[in-house]
Amino acid sequence: MSIKIALAGNPNCGKTTLFNALTGSNQFVGNWPGVTVEKKEGRLKGHKDVIIMDLPGIYSLSPYTLEEVVARNYLIGERPDAILNIVDGTNIERNLYLSTQLMELGIPVIMAINMMDIVAKNGDKIHIEKLSQKLGCEVVEISALKGTGIQQAAEKAIAVANKKKNAIPVHKFQAELESVLDSIEDKLGNDVPEEQKRFFAIKLLEKDEKIESQLKRVPDVSEEITLVEREMDDDTESIITNERYTYISSIIGECYTRSKRDKLTVSDKIDQIVTNRFLAIPIFAAVMFLVYYVSVTTVGTWATDWTNDNLFGDGFTFFGIDIPGIPVMIENLLVAIGCADWLQGLIVNGIVAGVGAVLGFVPQMLVLFVFLAFLESCGYMARVAFIMDRIFRKFGLSGKSFIPMLIGTGCGVPGIMASRTIENDRDRKMTIMTTTFIPCSAKLPIIALISGALFGGAAWVAPSAYFVGIAAIICSGIILKKTKIFSGDPAPFVMELPAYHMPTLENILRSMWERGWSFIKKAGTIILLATIVVWFASYFGWVDGQFRLLDTLELDHSVLAALGSSVSWLFAPLGWGNWKSAVAAITGLIAKENVVGTFGILYGFAEVAEDGTEIWGTLAGSMTAVAAYSFLVFNLLCAPCFAAMGAIKREMNNTRWFWYAVGYQTILAYVVALCVYQIGTLITTGTFGFFTFVAFALIIGFIGLLIRPMKEYKTTKSKSVAGAK
Amino acid sequence: MTLKEIPCGKTVKVTKLTGEGPIKRRIMDMGITKGVDIFVRKVAPFGDPVEVTVRGYELSLRKADAEMIVVE
């Protein structure tokens, strides 16, 4: 029979390091059902029948954060055979607060005091026998980083699991409170097993609404609540929290001896410099520049360009030997075996190109993920949030949203993936939805095309694109945070600033690989499928009444062209209702730079320069300057390329939210482009039509959404509970 | 007096927490309860949030939330 051991502890207590040390490479990473909280489980090294479940890092078992709800639903619902509670020895007081709650669940508990090497170095002492006696569970000293004591901790956990020796909480609250808890336990009767009664009694007293669904019958405890609240002059939730900390304060003196020292720790000294009033911003800018420079400007882009242009392109030279690119190799192979033309096309231009589109992003992403893992585990990421919070929270974003946006100027795909570092669910979703508004490097050719063809290369066009992007983020933040889907339990910004420490190489590489692999797996499918569909639509079509495979220059006969013609009327109010522009916008979904190439083909050039110089004249003849700018704005803001959409799907981990995001982006793009064209035309030519009226109505509505007051949505509270289950 | 008004470098004792619900619970979960000492360490470069030391570790909270913490 297999044993399940749950790892529970505060964030930053070294839980991940311990999990990696215990399980090695036997890990399965996924998501908890329906939420974006990561779920990790693995098998204990040397024990095939012992499963270790890594719970999200939590401070409490309160019902207010997603992580806490996920962890407690697991602990109550799945009832693991034992809990291994990791406690940061350097921060024992607050860590024990969670321990007092874990002890009440009626599950065997082993407490592992981590970071003992640092505790010893500081000259502090933890009296584990005393601690064990005061909390009612066995205590072991470990150092997850050095690997000391972890085997004993795991074996002790297996032993208590086998003995089914449930933890019996030793800590007691004030006498009045205890008697009230006794009476609630009586009311629970036989509905709840004896060992879980205390947990449920406390939760009922705390008025924890989310616990009610776990009970067959909810006893009425309003009388007890009123009694306690009147006697102790506070709400029951606060009374219990107070009592726990009071108990910890009362025992901490006996269990923990702090060496006499008033000198600052190394971490304190680092923090004095890094978040110094004057130095914080320059240091922040330097760190961000380094991250950007390495992962976007240099190493990351070299790696991605090499993958795209050489490995999945023209090939490369390896020690003097010319090696063709993968598509060429496969094409040669297919020609050699005499494969049919259409199948060759499907394999080379559809499937291989699709796989290339997925893998091309991976090297750059891995470079970025190394930085993110380092910044997160050394403790600087928390300071990023600390420094930038003031600016970003106004738009419903987190201080940590800065990094996704910055990376997004290079490529939206790793930008979206970088949002993973934002713990708060709402801030993360908002960041995912808005990151791609920032013009990425693939949108630069479109900017160059429009600015060159219609505006004579005017210097204001490119900066204005960034301005539009930033304005879209700010306005979206303000509008969206007032909508119903982004309301719900408020998330306070009460954040621990963990001590700085040097992360291990193993943990960084592991985190890099986990994130990279999850992109390939989850985003890869959607990117590949979409690429194949668009390939099919652009290479098949009717020529002289016959449906057949087309040549590259016959794009105007393709299914895609037919589709473009049928939807082009939609874009007429935006000023570019001709089918060629519609088709270009559609192929832009594969990769934004395709827009330029597609225009090239549709105007009869097999190949054009990156900024499309060849077609500047033709394009200028086919649309007005205002229409061209509207086209530019639409393409900047609308649904991003398939790769970025795949990343959105992966990070939202929810189909509905994926469509919200893509739908919102496209609608916003449409509205802004329409207003640009209509108002622009009114100013330049003085034409006032029906759509000019619509544009003004939209602008008024938009301003209304911006300035409307924050509404209270009562219903979402219970809804978010259901969503978290 | 609330924690919001305390200048950097001062240590104060918490006497009461106002407000209710998730924010209050979160603040208390992090160890800010009646009777605990709080040392105001620094203010972020843009003037908000603040960093405090409580129960031996560093915590950051917004001034708007610090207003809920009554100190002496």
Side-chain angles (χ1 to χ4, degrees), chain A residues 593-620:
Chain A
E593 68 268 28
N594 281 4
V595 169
V596 178
T598 304
F599 268 128
I601 292 168
L602 294 176
Y603 288 125
F605 293 91
E607 203 144 323
V608 291
E610 198 179 80
D611 59 358
T613 336
E614 297 87 340
I615 54 167
W616 283 5
T618 340
L619 196 64

Side-chain angles (χ1 to χ4, degrees), chain A residues 392-413:
Chain A
F392 278 82
R393 69 151 181 263
K394 289 204 179 89
F395 321 126
L397 296 165
S398 146
K400 290 185 186 175
S401 308
F402 185 83
I403 293 177
M405 310 260 158
L406 178 75
I407 299 300
T409 59
C411 175
V413 179

Side-chain angles (χ1 to χ4, degrees), chain A residues 33-54:
Chain A
V35 292
T36 42
V37 179
E38 205 164 69
K39 178 182 188 174
K40 280 185 178 179
E41 55 179 306
R43 286 180 198 281
L44 180 63
K45 272 188 205 163
H47 295 263
K48 275 209 167 112
D49 54 344
V50 178
I51 292 168
I52 308 271
M53 173 65 80
D54 189 19

Side-chain angles (χ1 to χ4, degrees), chain A residues 97 245 275 389 393 495, chain B residues 29 42 48 55 60 62:
Chain A
Y97 173 70
Y245 270 114
T275 57
D389 176 69
R393 69 151 181 263
M495 183 186 66
Chain B
D29 277 348
K42 68 163 82 85
D48 198 15
R55 296 187 191 268
S60 79
R62 287 178 184 157

Side-chain angles (χ1 to χ4, degrees), chain A residues 34-251:
Chain A
V35 292
T36 42
V37 179
E38 205 164 69
K39 178 182 188 174
K40 280 185 178 179
E41 55 179 306
R43 286 180 198 281
L44 180 63
K45 272 188 205 163
H47 295 263
K48 275 209 167 112
D49 54 344
V50 178
I51 292 168
I52 308 271
M53 173 65 80
D54 189 19
L55 295 179
I58 48 174
Y59 293 108
S60 168
L61 293 180
S62 93
Y64 299 123
T65 74
L66 208 54
E67 285 78 10
E68 287 171 2
V69 173
V70 162
R72 53 185 233 170
N73 283 350
Y74 175 79
L75 291 170
I76 305 164
E78 305 272 317
R79 301 204 61 78
D81 300 291
I83 297 172
L84 186 55
N85 173 211
I86 305 130
V87 166
D88 176 356
T90 62
N91 185 1
I92 194 158
E93 222 176 315
R94 197 206 59 225
N95 275 253
L96 287 180
Y97 173 70
L98 176 68
S99 307
T100 63
Q101 299 181 55
L102 295 173
M103 297 300 297
E104 288 157 0
L105 288 161
I107 296 170
V109 177
I110 293 289
M111 188 185 290
I113 312 279
N114 192 16
M115 312 209 188
M116 283 312 292
D117 50 328
I118 302 172
V119 173
K121 210 164 100 189
N122 289 345
D124 300 346
K125 247 195 121 40
I126 294 170
H127 310 285
I128 57 167
E129 319 75 39
K130 210 62 200 174
L131 200 58
S132 158
Q133 188 195 331
K134 293 289 180 188
L135 284 164
C137 65
E138 278 191 80
V139 181
V140 267
E141 296 185 339
I142 66 162
S143 165
L145 198 67
K146 301 253 151 70
T148 48
I150 61 168
Q151 215 50 46
Q152 291 95 300
E155 263 145 36
K156 282 220 157 92
I158 297 171
V160 287
N162 282 330
K163 270 190 259 166
K164 307 213 180 312
K165 206 175 105 193
N166 290 336
I168 296 159
V170 178
H171 61 274
K172 287 275 179 267
F173 304 140
Q174 285 185 38
E176 299 103 302
L177 208 52
E178 287 296 335
S179 74
V180 165
L181 285 173
D182 283 343
S183 96
I184 299 177
E185 282 182 38
D186 288 341
K187 282 190 178 177
L188 281 167
N190 294 329
D191 292 355
V192 175
E194 199 55 41
E195 71 270 15
Q196 296 181 42
K197 276 189 174 168
R198 190 175 171 88
F199 173 78
F200 281 105
I202 291 174
K203 289 293 158 195
L204 286 173
L205 188 64
E206 282 181 337
K207 295 176 273 188
D208 187 328
E209 287 167 14
K210 288 180 189 174
I211 214 69
E212 290 175 0
S213 58
Q214 306 273 350
L215 286 167
K216 270 178 265 169
R217 181 180 57 88
V218 183
D220 176 26
V221 297
S222 52
E223 196 184 306
E224 281 84 355
I225 292 171
T226 337
L227 178 76
V228 172
E229 291 193 338
R230 203 180 47 222
E231 295 245 315
M232 304 176 84
D233 188 34
D234 210 341
D235 57 288
T236 46
E237 206 177 2
S238 307
I239 293 168
I240 303 268
T241 310
N242 251 327
E243 287 293 313
R244 291 188 196 282
Y245 270 114
T246 309
Y247 182 77
I248 295 166
S249 304
S250 75
I251 63 159

